[in-house]
Amino acid sequence: MGIIKGIRRILPTWLKKIFKKKATRIGIYGPPSAGKTTLANRIVRDWSGDVMGSVSEIPHETRRARKREGVVINANGATVTLDIVDTPGLATKVDFHDFMEFGLEEKEAKRRAKEATEGVIEAIKWLDDLDGILLIMDATEDPFTQVNVTVVGNMEARELPLLIVANKIDLKEASPARIKSAFPQHPVIPISALEGLNIDKLYEAIANHFG
Protein backbone atom coordinates (compact mmCIF):
# COMPACT_ATOMS: atom_id res chain seq x y z
CA MET A 1 0.00 0.00 0.00
CA GLY A 2 2.88 2.34 0.80
CA ILE A 3 4.39 1.90 -2.66
CA ILE A 4 1.03 2.53 -4.34
CA LYS A 5 0.47 5.70 -2.31
CA GLY A 6 3.95 6.89 -3.20
CA ILE A 7 3.35 6.34 -6.91
CA ARG A 8 0.04 8.21 -6.73
CA ARG A 9 1.75 11.14 -5.00
CA ILE A 10 4.59 11.58 -7.50
CA LEU A 11 2.67 10.61 -10.66
CA PRO A 12 1.23 14.09 -11.38
CA THR A 13 4.72 15.62 -11.15
CA TRP A 14 6.17 13.07 -13.56
CA LEU A 15 3.29 13.47 -16.01
CA LYS A 16 3.76 17.24 -15.89
CA LYS A 17 7.45 16.85 -16.72
CA ILE A 18 6.86 14.29 -19.47
CA PHE A 19 4.13 16.21 -21.27
CA LYS A 20 5.48 19.72 -20.43
CA LYS A 21 2.16 21.06 -19.26
CA LYS A 22 1.52 24.48 -20.81
CA ALA A 23 -0.47 26.07 -17.98
CA THR A 24 -0.27 25.93 -14.22
CA ARG A 25 -3.66 25.53 -12.59
CA ILE A 26 -3.95 27.52 -9.39
CA GLY A 27 -6.88 27.86 -7.04
CA ILE A 28 -7.79 31.00 -5.14
CA TYR A 29 -8.91 29.94 -1.66
CA GLY A 30 -9.89 31.60 1.57
CA PRO A 31 -12.76 32.34 3.94
CA PRO A 32 -15.84 34.27 2.76
CA SER A 33 -15.35 38.01 2.20
CA ALA A 34 -11.54 37.80 2.26
CA GLY A 35 -11.42 39.21 -1.28
CA LYS A 36 -10.97 36.10 -3.45
CA THR A 37 -13.11 37.23 -6.36
CA THR A 38 -11.82 40.80 -6.08
CA LEU A 39 -8.30 39.40 -6.50
CA ALA A 40 -9.35 37.05 -9.33
CA ASN A 41 -10.93 40.02 -11.12
CA ARG A 42 -7.80 42.12 -10.55
CA ILE A 43 -5.50 39.44 -12.02
CA VAL A 44 -7.69 38.64 -15.01
CA ARG A 45 -8.42 42.31 -15.74
CA ASP A 46 -4.72 43.28 -15.54
CA TRP A 47 -3.60 40.52 -17.90
CA SER A 48 -6.58 39.87 -20.20
CA GLY A 49 -8.87 42.91 -19.81
CA ASP A 50 -11.81 40.87 -18.48
CA VAL A 51 -13.28 39.93 -15.08
CA MET A 52 -14.30 36.61 -13.53
CA GLY A 53 -17.30 37.32 -11.33
CA SER A 54 -19.38 39.71 -9.26
CA VAL A 55 -18.58 40.80 -5.70
CA SER A 56 -20.92 41.70 -2.85
CA GLU A 57 -20.88 42.72 0.78
CA ILE A 58 -23.03 39.63 1.47
CA PRO A 59 -20.82 36.61 2.34
CA HIS A 60 -20.66 33.62 -0.02
CA GLU A 61 -21.40 35.66 -3.15
CA THR A 62 -19.26 33.10 -5.02
CA ARG A 63 -21.04 29.76 -4.52
CA ARG A 64 -19.73 27.88 -7.56
CA ALA A 65 -16.14 27.64 -8.74
CA ARG A 66 -15.25 29.73 -11.78
CA LYS A 67 -12.32 28.99 -14.08
CA ARG A 68 -10.40 31.21 -16.49
CA GLU A 69 -7.79 29.55 -18.71
CA GLY A 70 -4.63 30.83 -20.31
CA VAL A 71 -3.90 33.96 -18.26
CA VAL A 72 -0.28 34.89 -19.04
CA ILE A 73 1.62 36.84 -16.36
CA ASN A 74 4.95 38.50 -17.14
CA ALA A 75 6.73 39.94 -14.13
CA ASN A 76 10.35 40.92 -13.55
CA GLY A 77 11.62 38.74 -16.42
CA ALA A 78 9.61 35.65 -15.42
CA THR A 79 6.54 34.36 -17.26
CA VAL A 80 3.84 31.91 -16.22
CA THR A 81 0.61 30.81 -17.91
CA LEU A 82 -2.19 30.18 -15.43
CA ASP A 83 -5.53 28.48 -15.42
CA ILE A 84 -7.19 30.29 -12.50
CA VAL A 85 -9.97 28.75 -10.39
CA ASP A 86 -11.87 31.19 -8.16
CA THR A 87 -13.40 28.97 -5.47
CA PRO A 88 -16.34 29.48 -3.06
CA GLY A 89 -15.47 30.70 0.43
CA LEU A 90 -14.41 28.06 2.94
CA ALA A 91 -16.27 27.93 6.24
CA THR A 92 -16.78 25.44 9.07
CA LYS A 93 -20.41 26.54 9.43
CA VAL A 94 -22.96 28.21 7.15
CA ASP A 95 -25.99 29.64 8.97
CA PHE A 96 -28.89 31.10 7.00
CA HIS A 97 -29.52 33.60 9.81
CA ASP A 98 -26.27 35.32 8.84
CA PHE A 99 -27.74 36.14 5.42
CA MET A 100 -30.97 37.48 6.94
CA GLU A 101 -28.85 40.09 8.75
CA PHE A 102 -28.11 41.49 5.28
CA GLY A 103 -31.84 41.84 4.54
CA LEU A 104 -32.52 38.57 2.71
CA GLU A 105 -35.88 36.86 3.22
CA GLU A 106 -35.77 33.53 5.07
CA LYS A 107 -36.48 31.45 1.94
CA GLU A 108 -33.72 33.18 -0.02
CA ALA A 109 -31.35 33.00 2.96
CA LYS A 110 -31.88 29.23 3.28
CA ARG A 111 -31.34 28.74 -0.45
CA ARG A 112 -28.14 30.74 -0.30
CA ALA A 113 -26.93 28.79 2.75
CA LYS A 114 -27.55 25.49 0.94
CA GLU A 115 -25.66 26.67 -2.14
CA ALA A 116 -22.82 28.01 0.03
CA THR A 117 -22.49 24.64 1.77
CA GLU A 118 -22.36 22.88 -1.59
CA GLY A 119 -19.75 25.42 -2.67
CA VAL A 120 -17.49 24.52 0.27
CA ILE A 121 -17.61 20.87 -0.80
CA GLU A 122 -16.86 21.81 -4.42
CA ALA A 123 -13.89 23.95 -3.36
CA ILE A 124 -12.40 21.05 -1.39
CA LYS A 125 -12.84 18.69 -4.37
CA TRP A 126 -10.91 21.09 -6.60
CA LEU A 127 -7.81 20.54 -4.44
CA ASP A 128 -7.29 17.21 -6.22
CA ASP A 129 -6.88 18.96 -9.57
CA LEU A 130 -4.61 21.93 -8.82
CA ASP A 131 -0.90 22.69 -9.12
CA GLY A 132 -0.79 25.48 -6.54
CA ILE A 133 -2.79 27.70 -4.22
CA LEU A 134 -3.24 31.40 -3.54
CA LEU A 135 -4.66 31.52 -0.01
CA ILE A 136 -6.31 34.88 0.68
CA MET A 137 -6.57 36.16 4.25
CA ASP A 138 -8.17 39.38 5.48
CA ALA A 139 -5.26 41.28 7.04
CA THR A 140 -7.63 43.17 9.34
CA GLU A 141 -8.71 39.97 11.11
CA ASP A 142 -7.12 37.41 13.42
CA PRO A 143 -5.47 34.80 11.15
CA PHE A 144 -5.60 32.06 13.82
CA THR A 145 -8.99 30.75 12.69
CA GLN A 146 -10.04 27.14 12.34
CA VAL A 147 -10.54 27.65 8.61
CA ASN A 148 -7.08 29.12 7.97
CA VAL A 149 -5.24 26.58 10.11
CA THR A 150 -7.14 23.67 8.55
CA VAL A 151 -6.63 24.92 5.00
CA VAL A 152 -2.90 25.49 5.46
CA GLY A 153 -2.50 22.06 7.07
CA ASN A 154 -4.47 20.38 4.29
CA MET A 155 -2.40 21.99 1.56
CA GLU A 156 0.85 21.14 3.33
CA ALA A 157 -0.27 17.51 3.54
CA ARG A 158 -0.97 17.57 -0.20
CA GLU A 159 2.42 19.22 -0.84
CA LEU A 160 0.75 21.92 -2.94
CA PRO A 161 2.85 25.08 -3.54
CA LEU A 162 1.23 27.84 -1.50
CA LEU A 163 1.36 31.63 -1.49
CA ILE A 164 -0.49 33.46 1.27
CA VAL A 165 -1.98 36.81 0.24
CA ALA A 166 -2.57 39.29 3.08
CA ASN A 167 -5.38 41.35 1.58
CA LYS A 168 -6.98 44.70 2.51
CA ILE A 169 -3.78 46.54 3.46
CA ASP A 170 -5.51 49.75 2.36
CA LEU A 171 -7.42 49.59 5.67
CA LYS A 172 -5.68 51.19 8.66
CA GLU A 173 -6.33 48.23 10.97
CA ALA A 174 -4.58 45.80 8.59
CA SER A 175 -1.63 43.85 10.00
CA PRO A 176 0.15 41.61 7.45
CA ALA A 177 2.84 41.04 10.11
CA ARG A 178 0.27 39.16 12.18
CA ILE A 179 -0.29 36.74 9.29
CA LYS A 180 3.46 36.32 8.74
CA SER A 181 3.82 35.51 12.42
CA ALA A 182 0.99 32.95 12.27
CA PHE A 183 2.33 31.09 9.23
CA PRO A 184 6.10 31.77 9.06
CA GLN A 185 6.72 28.64 6.97
CA HIS A 186 5.04 30.21 3.91
CA PRO A 187 5.66 33.39 1.87
CA VAL A 188 3.16 36.16 2.64
CA ILE A 189 2.48 38.96 0.14
CA PRO A 190 0.65 42.04 1.49
CA ILE A 191 -1.70 43.64 -1.06
CA SER A 192 -4.94 45.48 -1.57
CA ALA A 193 -6.78 43.66 -4.34
CA LEU A 194 -9.36 46.43 -4.39
CA GLU A 195 -6.91 49.33 -4.72
CA GLY A 196 -4.11 47.45 -6.51
CA LEU A 197 -1.56 48.25 -3.79
CA ASN A 198 1.62 46.13 -4.01
CA ILE A 199 0.01 44.06 -6.79
CA ASP A 200 3.26 44.02 -8.83
CA LYS A 201 4.99 42.24 -5.93
CA LEU A 202 2.28 39.60 -6.01
CA TYR A 203 2.71 39.09 -9.76
CA GLU A 204 6.47 38.65 -9.28
CA ALA A 205 5.83 36.11 -6.54
CA ILE A 206 3.29 34.23 -8.67
CA ALA A 207 5.64 34.08 -11.67
CA ASN A 208 8.55 32.90 -9.53
CA HIS A 209 6.54 30.51 -7.34
CA PHE A 210 4.35 28.84 -9.96
CA GLY A 211 6.37 29.33 -13.15
Side-chain angles (χ1 to χ4, degrees), residues 60-97:
H60 295 284
E61 175 67 12
T62 301
R63 299 186 294 282
R64 296 299 304 270
R66 304 186 184 97
K67 185 171 72 173
R68 182 60 55 89
E69 297 181 336
V71 178
V72 180
I73 292 178
N74 299 291
N76 200 26
T79 300
V80 62
T81 301
L82 300 178
D83 292 341
I84 298 172
V85 182
D86 179 25
T87 67
L90 296 174
T92 55
K93 177 185 176 184
V94 181
D95 188 335
F96 75 91
H97 293 97

Side-chain angles (χ1 to χ4, degrees), residues 27-199:
I28 300 179
Y29 280 76
S33 303
K36 297 180 299 301
T37 300
T38 301
L39 177 60
N41 285 341
R42 169 70 62 178
I43 295 172
V44 174
R45 184 169 56 244
D46 282 353
W47 298 100
S48 72
D50 201 357
V51 296
M52 288 192 71
S54 60
V55 297
S56 169
E57 66 173 356
I58 304 176
H60 295 284
E61 175 67 12
T62 301
R63 299 186 294 282
R64 296 299 304 270
R66 304 186 184 97
K67 185 171 72 173
R68 182 60 55 89
E69 297 181 336
V71 178
V72 180
I73 292 178
N74 299 291
N76 200 26
T79 300
V80 62
T81 301
L82 300 178
D83 292 341
I84 298 172
V85 182
D86 179 25
T87 67
L90 296 174
T92 55
K93 177 185 176 184
V94 181
D95 188 335
F96 75 91
H97 293 97
D98 294 339
F99 299 115
M100 295 180 68
E101 293 180 1
F102 287 87
L104 298 185
E105 298 293 334
E106 182 173 335
K107 182 178 180 180
E108 172 63 16
K110 288 183 175 178
R111 182 185 67 81
R112 196 178 184 100
K114 179 176 181 295
E115 292 176 353
T117 302
E118 293 169 349
V120 172
I121 296 170
E122 183 186 12
I124 294 171
K125 288 181 177 177
W126 264 103
L127 287 171
D128 293 330
D129 199 27
L130 296 172
D131 302 308
I133 303 293
L134 288 177
L135 177 58
I136 314 301
M137 297 184 189
D138 185 337
T140 69
E141 297 184 352
D142 182 358
F144 286 105
T145 65
Q146 185 178 359
V147 168
N148 287 340
V149 172
T150 300
V151 168
V152 170
N154 192 314
M155 292 168 187
E156 289 174 344
R158 293 170 183 265
E159 299 182 359
L160 282 170
L162 172 66
L163 272 181
I164 295 177
V165 181
N167 192 26
K168 304 187 183 183
I169 63 169
D170 54 303
L171 301 178
K172 63 179 183 181
E173 61 268 39
S175 176
R178 191 166 47 188
I179 296 176
K180 289 182 180 179
S181 176
F183 303 102
Q185 71 274 36
H186 294 290
V188 176
I189 312 298
I191 70 160
S192 167
L194 182 64
E195 302 293 339
L197 299 177
N198 216 33
I199 199 71

